[in-house]
Amino acid sequence: VSKRFSKGLQFQGSYTFTRNLTDAQGYNPSAFASEAGGLVSDLTHPGIDYGNVAYSRRNRFLATYLYQLPFGRQGTGGGVNGLVNRVIGGWELSGVLLFQSGPFLTVTVPGADPSGTGFPLYIGSGRADTVSGVSPYSANQSASGWLNPAAFAVPKNNIGRFGDSSVGNLTGPGTQTVSMSLMKTVKVKEGIGVQVGAQGANLFNHVNYAPPNTVYNTSAFGTISNVQSAEGAGPRVIQATARFTF
């Protein structure tokens, strides 16, 4: 949805629903796959590694806007004198709204060799088994417990298969951030102006957790040790700005 600038307002908003599956990213994707793909569990059965593309987002809403506040001579108070107009007029409010679901994640477990092929012991870990009927998420999700350890198990060695926990079968924490700026431009004379204002990233200081640890059978499994930083999702930051143009 897009609105061109008129009457002091413009905005653009978009919603994206993603259904993105592949077997080209390998047994444990930790980033978007390159052209060469990832490390495959079994070259003769690539479907074993079929699943959601790592770090893609199922749902994403993004909106931007710009609004010239209707104060001063351009709006209410149109009869004010020049000095008052310079104080209350010329303000612009703009911002970015971002709301999206979390990235897709894969659970691994170190030291197990259920296929009996030695894969992937030489790189440290393969995928875990799942426990039927148990939610993979903690009842009260938090940084100290995002995933439910009871939903997974260490597969036995030499049982002729790989761990049945599929690629991208979990969803990490989503993102909610509102960033905003309030700016005012004062024209001193032809070719000379002053711009002052303030900008705030993640204005409401919503905690956007980073993905949890996904290595099963370790003490850190399911816990979160960091927050997101991209797209203004980190801790709230407010800064004042001033610019003199000539």
Side-chain angles (χ1 to χ4, degrees):
V1 177
S2 180
K3 180 186 182 302
R4 294 183 178 181
F5 186 79
S6 64
K7 298 182 179 179
L9 175 66
Q10 70 178 30
F11 62 83
Q12 181 172 331
S14 64
Y15 167 73
T16 305
F17 173 81
T18 302
R19 180 72 171 168
N20 194 7
L21 299 139
T22 184
D23 59 11
Q25 54 186 346
Y27 87 101
N28 176 30
S30 57
F32 290 108
S34 67
E35 184 177 350
L39 186 62
V40 180
S41 297
D42 185 347
L43 286 172
T44 62
H45 298 91
I48 293 174
D49 298 329
Y50 184 75
N52 290 298
V53 171
Y55 294 96
S56 60
R57 310 285 181 138
R58 182 75 80 212
N59 302 281
R60 177 179 169 91
F61 172 78
L62 177 67
T64 61
Y65 63 90
L66 171 67
Y67 183 45
Q68 292 182 335
L69 299 180
F71 305 127
R73 290 178 179 174
Q74 66 183 23
T76 59
V80 298
N81 60 43
L83 179 61
V84 175
N85 182 64
R86 290 192 177 193
V87 175
I88 68 173
W91 290 95
E92 290 184 347
L93 183 67
S94 61
V96 179
L97 310 177
L98 173 64
F99 299 90
Q100 64 185 6
S101 54
F104 294 109
L105 309 171
T106 303
V107 174
T108 61
V109 60
D113 184 19
S115 65
T117 60
F119 177 90
L121 294 179
Y122 58 91
I123 56 173
S125 62
R127 292 201 300 273
D129 271 354
T130 57
V131 177
S132 179
V134 180
S135 172
Y137 304 104
S138 297
N140 298 302
Q141 288 180 310
S142 66
S144 60
W146 188 266
L147 303 178
N148 180 13
F152 302 93
V154 179
K156 295 181 180 180
N157 292 332
N158 304 311
I159 56 177
R161 63 169 177 81
F162 293 90
D164 62 15
S165 178
S166 60
V167 169
N169 65 328
L170 296 178
T171 303
T175 307
Q176 299 180 37
T177 181
V178 175
S179 298
M180 189 178 300
S181 69
L182 181 63
M183 306 296 293
K184 173 181 173 58
T185 301
V186 178
K187 184 177 179 180
V188 179
K189 64 178 183 178
E190 186 67 29
I192 299 178
V194 177
Q195 185 182 66
V196 296
Q199 301 168 330
N202 193 7
L203 194 62
F204 299 113
N205 206 29
H206 179 81
V207 180
N208 295 297
Y209 290 120
N213 183 294
T214 55
V215 182
Y216 181 68
N217 211 28
T218 62
S219 60
F221 176 73
T223 63
I224 297 174
S225 59
N226 210 339
V227 295
Q228 301 174 39
S229 58
E231 300 185 289
R236 177 173 53 207
V237 176
I238 297 177
Q239 63 180 15
T241 61
R243 174 186 291 182
F244 176 69
T245 58
F246 59 93

